[in-house]
């Protein structure tokens, strides 16, 4: 087997493609590179996607050419199997951390080239636990049919391997694959990621896919992230994981890091559920067939008219700026030259178009990332039936300012997190939208004795520590963190991997809280202080109890009922020793307890 460190020279390889492919298969002349996949909220490493290449400086270096030629010769399954073997060996050889994402063609699994038990044997040979491997099914319709593929998927899951659907949106059959296979992860094709901050349709498409992923219990992974603006929008939408050149390029020997440095993003704040619809202004529009003279006369006769959308049917195709049109007609002989031309000659052909249901925080990201003209000229607002009206940058700035002032008014002064009023408002909105969500009631154990023993300054430090850990753990745009008061916090979670996020909070708190105790108390595992009756008592080191309530559509009618049920879950959690994640599952009729280490 040739390693990446000792590549074969192109001159040593056969010239004919069939002979070259045969040599590649025989000598395993496959190059493997790895691209990191990270949590978009903070850059933490999820794992690596393995990508394969043919020998350098040959016609089969490109993976597309390599697999297309193998398919023509009937060797695709054999090549795919060889690639999987090479990927597993290289991943194990480098001892890379995290999860390994391996691409595989569905027919390779169906044709007997890589049955589940054989994959289990290959994993055991490399000492790779199946739980660390995700098979990415490339987008195509399996020849043997979906029932056969579902059976293979069940066999793979039995050995512990997880499944992902690759390049969602690139073709036609992968929505059917999603429905049939119910993969653990779904990878969003890079087309829908690139320039998402400037494309309202892509933004709405991803938002819909996120809703589908949450309903299916899958995690959406964004591919092809190249710009900080794209990352910002994905985070606001609640996309959990991603990869792309902005994070790191594929490399034969990737950087061994627990996290990757991502561009600083503005943390998501409570948006109050406000959407673009409230900025809607009724503005007349022109047909694409209207003349420049018609546009000039409309602006000249309406001093307050700041812009004119140009529509094809009810679809926006351009935007006329008042300043640009009037300045154009003010030039010598311009009226004679422009009057009869179509108004699109003076229009901006790439205006900012947003849907009425876009939240204001997302719009502010889009406007900030776009060109300055969108703030001056305004943006076009559309609905299901097409054009609805326009919004102005001035109104957007005013609305964002109001939201920030409202958030500050009801924020907890110690942590800056939203207080009771925003928490109740957010719960009410989620109930009205009939959306499932999770309530996590977080409380410190033995906090009052700690506060009495070490003083209120240390108590404030502990509360701030917990608040910072909660903020760092949630998915921006998908999750909400509120501070009820004292040492009580509430999280409203819609991210798919919320259990993992909460377990991470427990682990980090138990580790970092030790710095707030003196060495003697740390060594003793607790401290002595008088209880409320004045009697000396030993209290263990402060821990965290998290009571979790899973709220489904129709379960509760008001935020009062949700709060009461969440309080019961928290009380149950506090009956356990140490840092505990207690999950009350009313549907299953069971209560689950997860410790700080988690499972």
């Amino acid at each position: 087997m040739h390693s990446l460190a000792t590549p074969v020279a192109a001159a040593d390889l056969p010239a004919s493609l069939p002979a070259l492919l045969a040599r590649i298969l025989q000598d395993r002349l496959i190059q493997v590179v790895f691209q990191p996949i990270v949590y978009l909220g903070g850059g933490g490493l999820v794992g690596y996607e393995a990508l394969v290449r043919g020998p350098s400086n040959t016609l089969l270096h490109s993976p597309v050419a390599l697999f297309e030629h193998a398919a023509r010769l009937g060797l695709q399954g054999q090549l795919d199997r060889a690639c999987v073997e090479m990927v597993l060996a290289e991943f194990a050889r480098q001892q890379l951390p995290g999860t390994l994402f391996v691409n595989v063609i569905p027919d390779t699994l169906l044709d007997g080239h890589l049955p589940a038990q054989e994959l289990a044997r290959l994993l055991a040979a490399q000492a790779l636990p199946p739980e660390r491997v995700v098979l990415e099914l490339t987008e195509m319709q399996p020849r043997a049919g979906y029932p056969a593929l579902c059976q293979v998927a069940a066999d793979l899951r039995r050995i512990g391997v997880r499944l992902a659907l690759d390049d969602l949106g690139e073709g036609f059959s992968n929505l059917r694959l999603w429905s049939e296979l119910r993969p653990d992860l779904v990878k969003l094709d890079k087309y829908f990621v690139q320039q998402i901050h400037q494309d309202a349709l892509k933004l709405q498409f991803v938002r819909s896919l996120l809703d589908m992923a949450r309903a299916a219990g899958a995690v959406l992974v964004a591919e092809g992230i190249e710009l900080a603006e794209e990352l910002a929008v994905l985070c606001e939408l609640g996309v959990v994981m991603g990869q792309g050149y902005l994070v790191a390029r594929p490399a034969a020997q990737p950087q061994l890091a627990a996290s990757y440095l991502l561009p600083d993003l503005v943390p998501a704040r409570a948006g109050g559920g406000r959407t673009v619809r409230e900025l809607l202004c009724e503005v007349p529009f022109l047909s694409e067939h209207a003349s420049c003279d018609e546009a000039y006369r409309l602006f000249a006769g309406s001093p307050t008219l700041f812009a004119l959308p140009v529509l094809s049917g009810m679809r926006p195709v351009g935007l006329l700026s008042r300043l640009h049109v009037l300045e154009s007609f003010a030039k010598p002989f311009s009226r004679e030259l422009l009057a009869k031309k179509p108004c699109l000659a003076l229009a901006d052909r790439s205006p900012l178009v947003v849907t009425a249901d876009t939240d204001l925080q997302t719009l502010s990201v889009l406007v900030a990332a776009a060109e300055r003209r969108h703030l001056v000229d305004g943006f076009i607002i559309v609905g299901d039936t097409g054009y609805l009206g326009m919004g102005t940058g001035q109104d957007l700035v005013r609305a964002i300012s109001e939201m920030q002032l409202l958030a500050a008014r009801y924020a907890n002064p110690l942590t800056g997190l939203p207080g009771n009023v925003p928490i109740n408002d957010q719960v009410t909105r989620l109930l009205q939208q009939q959306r499932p969500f999770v309530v996590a009631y977080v409380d410190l154990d033995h906090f009052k004795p700690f506060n009495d023993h070490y003083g209120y300054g240390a108590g404030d430090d502990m509360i701030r520590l917990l608040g910072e850990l909660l903020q760092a753990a949630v998915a921006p745009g998908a999750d909400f963190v509120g501070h009820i008061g004292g040492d009580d916090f509430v999280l409203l979670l819609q991210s798919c991997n919320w259990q993992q996020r909460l377990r991470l909070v427990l682990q980090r708190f138990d580790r970092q809280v030790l710095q707030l105790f003196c060495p003697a108390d740390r060594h003793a595992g607790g401290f002595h202080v008088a209880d409320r009756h004045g009697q000396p008592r030993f209290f263990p080191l402060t821990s965290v109890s998290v009571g979790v309530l899973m709220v489904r559509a129709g379960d509760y009618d008001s935020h009062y009922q949700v709060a009461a049920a969440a309080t019961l879950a928290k009380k149950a959690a506090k009956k356990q020793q140490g840092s505990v994640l207690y999950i009350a599952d009313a549907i299953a009729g069971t209560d689950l307890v997860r410790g700080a280490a988690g499972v």
Side-chain angles (χ1 to χ4, degrees):
M1 180 185 296
H2 291 278
S3 70
L4 296 177
T6 57
V8 177
D12 297 332
L13 296 172
S16 73
L17 292 183
L20 174 58
L21 181 60
R23 177 77 184 278
I24 290 172
L25 290 172
Q26 177 184 336
D27 293 346
R28 294 295 197 258
L29 304 181
I30 298 167
Q31 302 183 49
V32 182
V33 294
F34 298 94
Q35 185 174 38
I37 298 174
V38 301
Y39 290 108
L40 299 184
L45 178 70
V46 175
Y48 300 88
E49 179 183 3
L51 306 168
V52 297
R53 309 281 190 267
S56 300
N57 301 320
T58 70
L59 294 176
L60 296 185
H61 175 66
S62 161
V64 174
L66 181 64
F67 276 87
E68 283 183 352
H69 189 71
R72 285 197 294 269
L73 295 176
L75 297 173
Q76 182 174 257
Q78 187 177 341
L79 173 64
D80 206 22
R81 159 71 183 259
C83 289
V84 171
E85 289 186 36
M86 288 287 294
V87 164
L88 297 180
E90 190 63 21
F91 186 82
R93 186 187 70 80
Q94 295 192 37
Q95 297 184 339
L96 296 177
T99 300
L100 171 63
F101 292 73
V102 187
N103 291 284
V104 65
I105 299 170
D107 284 332
T108 301
L109 304 172
L110 292 166
D111 294 343
H113 289 285
L114 192 62
Q117 292 307 315
E118 178 63 9
L119 178 60
R121 187 189 67 78
L122 295 175
L123 291 171
Q126 301 296 342
L128 281 176
E131 294 76 19
R132 290 188 62 196
V133 176
V134 173
L135 288 186
E136 290 188 30
L137 302 181
T138 56
E139 197 285 331
M140 64 171 291
Q141 184 172 351
R143 288 196 302 267
Y146 291 102
L149 185 57
C150 288
Q151 181 58 54
V152 170
D155 295 338
L156 292 168
R157 285 193 170 101
R158 271 193 289 271
I159 69 171
V161 171
R162 288 178 290 165
L163 299 177
L165 184 62
D166 196 20
D167 293 332
L168 181 72
E170 185 181 43
F172 299 100
S173 63
N174 47 19
L175 285 178
R176 171 77 183 272
L177 273 177
W178 189 354
S179 177
E180 293 279 353
L181 296 183
R182 305 298 171 95
D184 304 279
L185 301 103
V186 176
K187 301 193 75 174
L188 180 65
D189 184 68
K190 63 183 180 182
Y191 169 79
F192 294 98
V193 171
Q194 293 171 350
Q195 302 298 317
I196 189 174
H197 58 291
Q198 295 179 342
D199 192 321
L201 185 59
K202 287 183 179 180
L203 186 147
Q204 186 58 43
F205 184 89
V206 175
R207 192 193 302 276
S208 300
L209 289 178
L210 277 167
D211 290 338
M212 292 171 59
R214 293 188 185 107
V219 175
L220 199 65
V221 183
E223 295 182 302
I225 306 172
E226 297 184 1
L227 302 176
E229 294 86 354
E230 294 166 353
L231 175 63
V233 174
L234 292 169
C235 287
E236 289 286 341
L237 289 175
V239 178
V240 176
M241 303 176 188
Q243 63 190 105
Y245 288 172
L246 185 68
V247 179
R249 292 176 177 268
Q253 294 182 325
Q255 173 188 353
L256 297 179
S259 63
Y260 284 75
L261 183 63
L262 300 179
D264 291 333
L265 302 176
V266 178
R269 302 179 184 273
R274 300 176 66 175
T275 66
V276 173
R277 192 178 298 274
E278 70 176 79
L279 305 181
L280 187 64
C281 302
E282 290 188 10
V283 175
F285 59 88
L286 289 174
S287 163
E288 61 182 330
H289 304 296
S291 66
C292 290
D293 186 61
E294 291 179 72
Y296 170 75
R297 285 189 279 108
L298 278 173
F299 281 123
S302 304
T304 60
L305 187 61
F306 59 94
L308 273 172
V310 182
L311 307 185
S312 175
M314 291 300 290
R315 180 176 60 89
V317 293
L319 183 66
L320 292 161
S321 163
R322 176 185 184 86
L323 181 62
H324 179 59
V325 171
L326 294 182
E327 282 186 346
S328 297
F329 269 77
K331 297 176 182 178
F333 309 109
S334 60
R335 194 177 192 96
E336 292 79 1
L337 295 172
L338 294 173
K340 295 183 179 180
K341 286 187 176 182
C343 61
L344 277 175
L346 294 177
D348 174 6
R349 299 293 191 97
S350 56
L352 180 59
V353 180
V354 295
T355 62
D357 294 329
T358 301
D359 63 87
L360 293 184
Q361 289 288 358
T362 299
L363 175 61
S364 68
V365 172
L366 289 172
V367 171
E371 297 180 34
R372 184 179 300 176
R373 70 179 191 277
H374 296 312
L375 189 61
V376 176
D377 297 339
F379 42 89
I380 300 174
I381 303 175
V382 297
D384 294 336
T385 58
Y387 175 72
L388 295 178
M390 287 196 63
T392 68
Q394 181 181 10
D395 288 342
L396 173 62
V397 171
R398 182 184 298 112
I400 294 295
S401 298
E402 291 172 356
M403 290 161 55
Q404 292 173 340
L405 288 172
L406 186 63
R409 177 182 178 186
Y410 292 111
N412 185 283
L414 182 60
T415 61
L417 291 171
N420 287 322
V421 172
I423 294 171
N424 293 337
D425 289 346
Q426 184 74 356
V427 172
T428 299
R429 278 192 297 275
L430 291 172
L431 293 176
Q432 291 173 346
Q433 293 169 359
Q434 295 285 295
R435 299 183 66 174
F437 63 100
V438 170
V439 180
Y441 197 151
V442 183
D443 190 17
L444 290 171
D445 303 318
H446 315 299
F447 175 72
K448 186 179 185 305
F450 171 86
N451 207 45
D452 293 342
H453 184 59
Y454 282 93
Y456 67 86
D460 286 351
D461 288 343
M462 183 176 288
I463 291 173
R464 277 192 291 265
L465 169 64
L466 180 56
E468 291 168 0
L469 291 175
L470 293 173
Q471 285 181 281
V474 300
D479 301 333
F480 176 95
V481 184
H483 188 175
I484 297 175
D487 59 327
D488 288 355
F489 294 81
V490 164
L491 282 70
L492 307 176
L493 307 169
Q494 297 179 81
S495 53
C496 300
N497 59 341
W498 57 267
Q499 290 190 49
Q500 178 182 349
R501 294 173 181 275
L502 292 176
R503 289 197 294 270
L504 186 62
V505 170
L506 300 185
Q507 293 167 1
R508 289 178 173 174
F509 181 86
D510 286 347
R511 183 171 63 251
Q512 296 183 32
V513 76
L514 295 177
Q515 64 187 347
L516 298 179
F517 291 90
C518 68
D521 289 345
R522 286 201 300 267
H523 180 74
F527 53 93
H528 288 86
V529 68
D531 62 17
R532 64 185 62 187
H533 303 294
Q535 300 298 317
R537 180 181 167 189
F538 180 79
F539 291 92
L541 300 179
T542 308
S543 54
V544 181
S545 291
V546 183
V548 171
L549 176 70
M550 302 175 70
V551 180
R552 297 167 178 83
D555 283 354
Y556 302 95
D557 296 326
S558 70
H559 67 81
Y560 299 107
Q561 295 177 356
V562 172
T567 300
L568 294 177
K570 184 201 73 169
K571 289 180 178 178
K574 292 185 74 67
K575 293 178 181 179
Q576 313 296 325
Q577 296 297 317
S579 291
V580 168
L581 173 59
Y582 178 96
I583 304 175
D585 191 339
I587 299 298
T590 59
D591 293 331
L592 308 176
V593 178
R594 300 286 188 260
V599 295

